[in-house]
Amino acid sequence: MAVLVIIPAAGMGTRFGGDLPKQFQPLAGRPILLNVIERFFMIEDVSLIVVAVAEPLLAGVKQSERVRFVAGGETRHESVMKAFHAAEGEYDLVAVHDAVRPFFRTSTFRLLLAAAQQHGASLPAMPITDTVHEVRDGFVTSTLNRSTLVAAQTPQCFRYDVLKDVLARGEASATDEASLAAKLGHQVQVLPGDPHNIKITHPDDLARAEEHFGQWSNE
């Protein structure tokens, strides 16, 4: 089974603050993005990792047989599309993963790949524990049923043909490939996520990741 991994990493991470995009912030002495890439090296079925970065950064990265860097786009969807089309060769499955989630479980990833192979697409997700209100103009308009809601994580996995269809027909403004797949009529199986599979968005997230790096990186 040949697996292609796509990591959209062209964003500037404005919510994190500072001049250095969050995916290049140091974690355990190395950029977060490098920690993410090396975690995928642990999966023998991963044939190629394509990372979409901001075009000015291309001159400073090192290409290799297993990791390829390409210029990303203005949106996540554009970056994923450019990485997808830059991948040469034949692949059975494709995983799309956030550049700032360094602690995904390899065991979960293998389950996601199997689910995508069977159903077409899959993603890990966590249940919503807080009450969620819909708000308009500063006032609550409705309260959502949290028993039917989940918080999506990555890696999100797809059969190659499914993601090809999603990228060809999906909206450029989309922030999540799995939601596009479901909207277009593909089956998307949801598997249990992991509370340690955090997305490093704010400095506090990075501090927590640094504190627990030894434990979480070995799970």
Side-chain angles (χ1 to χ4, degrees):
M1 179 173 62
V3 177
L4 166 67
V5 172
I6 292 173
I7 304 176
M12 298 308 295
T14 54
R15 284 177 292 178
F16 192 92
D19 297 327
L20 187 65
K22 58 188 176 182
Q23 59 270 30
F24 300 109
Q25 294 285 338
L27 173 61
R30 299 180 301 171
I32 296 171
L33 178 59
L34 181 57
N35 282 288
V36 171
I37 291 171
E38 291 190 350
R39 199 157 183 83
F40 280 110
F41 285 166
M42 301 167 64
I43 312 297
E44 60 278 1
D45 290 327
V46 173
S47 303
L48 179 65
I49 302 168
V50 182
V51 186
V53 298
E55 189 167 7
L57 298 177
L58 279 180
V61 297
K62 183 179 180 181
Q63 309 281 2
S64 70
E65 183 176 344
R66 202 175 180 191
V67 183
R68 184 175 305 163
F69 292 87
V70 300
E74 293 294 322
T75 66
R76 174 193 173 95
H77 185 79
E78 290 175 1
S79 290
V80 172
M81 185 179 297
K82 288 187 174 186
F84 182 83
H85 291 304
E88 299 173 353
E90 296 183 359
Y91 303 95
D92 303 297
L93 300 167
V94 187
V96 182
H97 186 63
D98 296 329
V100 286
R101 288 189 190 269
F103 300 119
F104 66 92
R105 292 177 185 264
T106 56
S107 57
T108 299
F109 183 44
R110 290 187 175 94
L111 292 174
L112 290 163
L113 291 173
Q117 191 169 36
Q118 180 179 358
H119 299 287
S122 64
L123 81 156
M126 294 293 294
I128 299 292
T129 57
D130 295 325
T131 298
V132 180
H133 298 302
E134 184 174 3
V135 177
R136 188 171 302 165
D137 298 326
F139 294 91
V140 173
T141 58
S142 64
T143 300
L144 305 181
N145 181 3
R146 66 186 179 190
S147 68
T148 64
L149 300 175
V150 294
Q153 297 180 334
T154 65
Q156 298 183 355
C157 299
F158 307 84
R159 284 202 304 261
Y160 184 91
D161 61 302
V162 170
L163 186 59
K164 183 178 181 179
D165 178 59
V166 168
L167 294 177
R169 296 199 289 147
E171 301 96 338
S173 60
T175 59
D176 180 282
E177 289 71 39
S179 63
L180 281 178
K183 186 176 181 179
L184 293 172
H186 297 288
Q187 276 195 323
V188 182
Q189 185 174 23
V190 179
L191 298 184
D194 181 359
H196 297 163
N197 185 16
I198 64 171
K199 185 176 183 180
I200 300 175
T201 304
H202 303 285
D204 286 349
D205 301 325
L206 181 57
R208 188 156 63 103
E210 195 75 59
E211 179 182 359
H212 296 286
F213 183 84
Q215 174 193 352
W216 293 355
S217 62
N218 289 322
E219 292 184 349

